[in-house]
Amino acid sequence: RAIGAFYQSLYEFQHLEYIDLYLMHSPFGGRIIESWDAMLYLQQQEPPVVRSIGVSNFGLAHLQAIQESGRPLPAVNQIELHPLIYQKRLPLIE
């Protein structure tokens, strides 16, 4: 599904040859490794269709699952961060 969704997005932006950063959002619902494998597949295509891949709102356990599976870690983990939740997010940014 991730590969199909990517190509649908690329089709909708017909003037683009590639996407600089493609993020997988919220790991809730399982299939983290399978989805990450799809993201890696997209990054490895020739000619390149994705320059960098990352995740959004992943916790430490999700990132560790990717690392423990032997896959490369995301270039980016986009998280919400502001003074009201700084202490809660501290383990992610350390």
Side-chain angles (χ1 to χ4, degrees):
R1 289 177 40 179
I3 294 169
F6 171 81
Y7 281 108
Q8 179 64 36
S9 296
L10 194 61
Y11 174 78
E12 290 174 9
F13 298 103
Q14 294 179 7
H15 64 284
L16 297 178
E17 296 177 15
Y18 64 89
I19 293 178
D20 282 323
L21 176 62
Y22 196 54
L23 298 178
M24 178 179 12
H25 191 275
S26 290
F28 306 109
R31 306 206 134 199
I32 294 170
I33 302 304
E34 294 87 349
S35 297
W36 188 243
D37 284 343
M39 302 281 282
L40 290 167
Y41 170 83
L42 289 169
Q43 188 180 33
Q44 295 166 355
Q45 295 307 294
E46 288 294 333
V49 292
V50 176
R51 296 273 171 104
S52 295
I53 54 175
V55 295
S56 178
N57 298 315
F58 273 42
L60 284 176
H62 304 116
L63 295 170
Q64 287 170 341
I66 292 172
Q67 185 176 33
E68 290 169 3
S69 72
R71 274 85 170 168
L73 288 172
V76 173
N77 183 18
Q78 177 184 347
I79 59 170
E80 177 184 14
L81 186 63
H82 53 78
L84 297 177
I85 63 167
Y86 181 79
Q87 290 299 319
K88 181 180 177 182
R89 298 282 194 232
L90 198 55
L92 279 172
I93 57 178
E94 286 187 328

